[in-house]
Amino acid sequence: MKIRLNRYLAECGIASRRKAEELILDGRVEVNGKTIVDLAFFVEENDSVKYDGRLLRLESKVYFLLNKPKGYITSTADEKGRKTVLELINTKQKIFPVGRLDYNTKGVLILTNDGDFANLLMHPKNKVPREYHVLLDKELDGEHRLRLIKGITLEGSRGKFESIKFTKPKSFDRMNVVTHEGRNHFVKNMFGLLGYTVKELERVSYGGITTKNLPVGAYRLLTPGEIKKVFTDYAL
């Protein structure tokens, strides 16, 4: 059996296929004692594959849903010594977060060792919806609401919200927004362009997966139905 090297890294839980390609090009992967920088390279069944000098083995797939609390970074490690989301999940398998949530953002965070699953959720072409609950420092102007839905230029490219729905009658500083975007700080930056500060941010849904009945800081395994639905709804 042959498998492309970036896929092998993804299936070992190192990173998504796209990120694995960066690791290969950076010269961090060896096959049978030789550094490989060819993205088209295939690994065979008995090959010895090392990442940063560590021998890799294919692992069974795991999929966790975490209701991320504030005060944790969405990373596998932090040079500043801050708490990471991996500290909240008890598993012996090497997992990584699917996308990012800011340090003080809470809500839906998926962690897995399945690079294909992660890439499916994160790839812009798949337009996977992310829904956030937002509290602003002031009420959202009606004209600004329309602009955010129509689209504005952010960091050189167009960004937009698919919908903005206020969560309380006659209260226009609390809302749920839906976007297909996965850029870092996207929600905060979009509102920031129009003069608003996001005071609270919570991701309440990602690809239809929610933290319903899951307390803040708790986690659970995704159900087979949830996993299948992601592959069914968003596979290219």
Side-chain angles (χ1 to χ4, degrees):
M1 181 190 72
K2 290 185 177 182
I3 180 173
R4 196 180 291 270
L5 183 55
N6 67 331
R7 181 181 174 185
Y8 186 92
L9 294 176
E11 293 194 2
C12 286
I14 298 301
S16 67
R17 287 197 200 184
R18 186 188 302 178
K19 181 63 177 179
E21 290 181 350
E22 297 178 17
L23 301 177
I24 295 167
L25 293 175
D26 287 342
R28 299 172 65 180
V29 181
E30 295 180 6
V31 179
N32 300 327
K34 181 180 179 181
T35 299
I36 303 297
V37 293
D38 179 8
L39 297 181
F41 188 87
F42 279 82
V43 176
E44 297 190 22
E45 187 172 353
N46 294 320
D47 284 343
S48 170
V49 182
K50 292 184 178 181
Y51 164 63
D52 283 349
R54 178 169 62 87
L55 186 65
L56 301 182
R57 289 284 185 267
L58 291 177
E59 299 180 328
S60 58
K61 303 292 193 304
V62 290
Y63 310 83
F64 291 100
L65 169 63
L66 171 69
N67 191 346
K68 178 190 175 294
K70 295 180 180 180
Y72 287 80
I73 65 166
T74 308
S75 179
T76 56
D78 182 52
E79 67 281 358
K80 297 180 180 179
R82 292 172 295 179
K83 295 179 291 187
T84 77
V85 292
L86 292 187
E87 297 175 36
L88 298 170
I89 296 180
N90 182 20
T91 179
K92 293 181 179 179
Q93 292 177 283
K94 185 177 178 62
I95 57 175
F96 57 89
V98 179
R100 291 183 177 272
L101 288 180
D102 296 342
Y103 182 75
N104 284 321
T105 299
K106 58 185 181 179
V108 174
L109 183 67
I110 296 169
L111 301 98
T112 184
N113 58 1
D114 186 344
D116 288 339
F117 185 80
N119 191 56
L120 196 63
L121 286 169
M122 292 188 294
H123 201 295
K125 289 183 179 179
N126 295 333
K127 296 183 177 181
V128 178
R130 296 118 161 121
E131 183 176 0
Y132 298 85
H133 178 69
V134 182
L135 172 62
L136 299 178
D137 62 332
K138 55 188 175 183
E139 294 191 338
L140 181 62
D141 178 79
E143 181 180 342
H144 287 166
R145 177 178 177 272
L146 293 176
R147 287 182 62 188
L148 289 166
I149 293 174
K150 184 177 179 181
I152 57 178
T153 300
L154 173 66
E155 298 171 343
S157 62
R158 199 159 188 79
K160 70 173 206 171
F161 295 143
E162 301 303 312
S163 66
I164 300 176
K165 296 181 180 179
F166 298 108
T167 56
K168 291 185 177 181
K170 299 182 180 179
S171 179
F172 304 113
D173 59 348
R174 290 183 181 271
M175 63 211 71
N176 278 14
V177 303
V178 175
T179 179
H180 294 153
E181 285 272 5
R183 284 184 273 175
N184 286 347
H185 313 297
F186 178 75
V187 174
K188 293 180 178 179
N189 289 342
M190 287 285 284
F191 282 110
L193 278 177
L194 299 180
Y196 299 88
T197 298
V198 174
K199 296 176 64 178
E200 292 184 12
L201 186 62
E202 177 182 7
R203 184 158 64 189
V204 296
S205 175
Y206 188 6
I209 296 170
T210 76
T211 53
K212 183 179 180 181
N213 299 324
L214 189 65
V216 175
Y219 68 92
R220 65 170 174 83
L221 290 170
L222 291 184
T223 67
E226 288 172 324
I227 297 166
K228 180 179 179 181
K229 192 172 190 305
V230 168
F231 280 109
T232 299
D233 290 352
Y234 304 114
L236 289 171

